[in-house]
Amino acid sequence: MTVLPLEKEKIKGNSIVYPFCDESSGLLSLRTKPSVEGDGECLILFKVLDFKRVGRDKDAIYIQDIYSNGPVNEGYGSAAMRALIKYAISKNYDSIGGHLSPDDQDHIARLHHFYKKHGFELPEGLYGSISLDLSNASYILSQIDNQLLIEENLFIKNQISFLKSEYKKLEQELGRLVFEKENETNIIKFLRRVFRKNKIK
């Protein structure tokens, strides 16, 4: 079994992840450390279709399943898919295909969004075959780079929005503390007056 380390990928927040591919067992595994040990944050199970046998020029990859072990919406699935696409192009494969089935119905909308943003052709309905034609490799690689920039830009916008919200909360808390401090001075003055009156008596 030969596990091939692929080019590093980025996820949200510019963290680095490490894809490894084992074509003999049909597994692409995305890891947070440059090691083949462990299960990985995202796994793509695939098989190579021997299309040359049936008269086509090139073989293809067929995605059998995708498993996510990492946090959702952190970019692990996208990084794994980018790695698989680059790997397929480097091996000169014809295309990447797969199938959306009713078994996926609880997350079918997410799957449609996921495959569409990576350039796949989707079925007319909810279920059916998906495919990514790899014949124009340079265009696909430029689209991958563009998608990564879009995701990084979105991440930065979300971070800015979060920081603005936190700043507003801090501003409100500061206002409350200043108000309490001002009132505390008045209360202390009042208590001193009461104490002096009682002391005199």
Side-chain angles (χ1 to χ4, degrees):
M1 173 173 91
T2 306
V3 180
L4 180 68
L6 305 180
E7 182 184 337
K8 292 182 285 190
E9 294 287 341
K10 286 183 182 178
I11 57 169
K12 291 179 181 177
N14 281 329
S15 296
I16 300 295
V17 287
Y18 304 87
F20 292 87
C21 186
D22 180 2
E23 191 172 291
S24 60
S25 64
L27 177 66
L28 186 138
S29 176
L30 190 74
R31 302 173 186 283
T32 53
K33 295 179 181 174
S35 166
V36 295
E37 301 301 316
D39 290 336
E41 300 300 312
C42 184
L43 307 172
I44 300 180
L45 304 179
F46 67 91
K47 63 181 176 181
V48 177
L49 303 177
D50 191 358
F51 282 164
K52 289 179 184 173
R53 230 184 256 176
V54 291
R56 278 170 62 174
D57 292 339
K58 300 176 182 179
D59 293 337
I61 283 181
Y62 183 84
I63 297 171
Q64 294 176 300
D65 217 336
I66 299 177
Y67 296 101
S68 181
N69 300 319
V72 179
N73 292 328
E74 292 297 319
Y76 291 106
S78 291
M81 183 56 72
R82 286 194 303 270
L84 183 67
I85 292 169
K86 290 176 187 176
Y87 175 75
I89 288 171
S90 75
K91 298 288 283 185
N92 202 27
Y93 289 140
D94 178 70
S95 61
I96 300 175
H99 191 81
L100 298 177
S101 77
D103 293 341
D104 304 314
Q105 64 182 335
D106 61 331
H107 57 285
I108 196 69
R110 272 183 40 225
L111 284 175
H112 273 255
H113 172 74
F114 176 76
Y115 284 113
K116 185 176 182 182
K117 81 174 181 179
H118 289 99
F120 282 75
E121 286 185 29
L122 301 175
E124 286 186 23
L126 291 178
Y127 312 111
S129 295
I130 60 167
S131 65
L132 177 64
D133 182 357
L134 300 177
S135 58
N136 191 347
S138 57
Y139 173 76
I140 290 168
L141 292 172
S142 71
Q143 289 301 102
I144 286 174
D145 289 341
N146 287 343
Q147 184 59 41
L148 189 55
L149 289 173
I150 289 167
E151 287 180 10
E152 285 176 3
N153 190 29
L154 184 61
F155 175 79
I156 290 167
K157 281 182 179 176
N158 288 339
Q159 288 296 102
I160 289 170
S161 177
F162 171 75
L163 290 172
K164 280 181 179 176
S165 172
E166 290 298 300
Y167 177 75
K168 193 169 185 177
K169 287 178 191 172
L170 287 171
E171 218 173 27
Q172 289 170 346
E173 180 65 12
L174 181 61
R176 186 186 67 76
L177 290 171
V178 167
F179 178 77
E180 284 180 4
K181 184 71 175 166
E182 288 170 354
N183 284 332
E184 184 182 42
T185 305
N186 292 334
I187 290 168
I188 289 170
K189 286 177 183 175
F190 171 75
L191 290 173
R192 278 181 184 158
R193 279 198 307 269
V194 170
F195 178 73
R196 280 184 195 138
K197 280 182 184 177
N198 288 335
K199 196 174 180 184
I200 290 167
K201 291 176 182 180

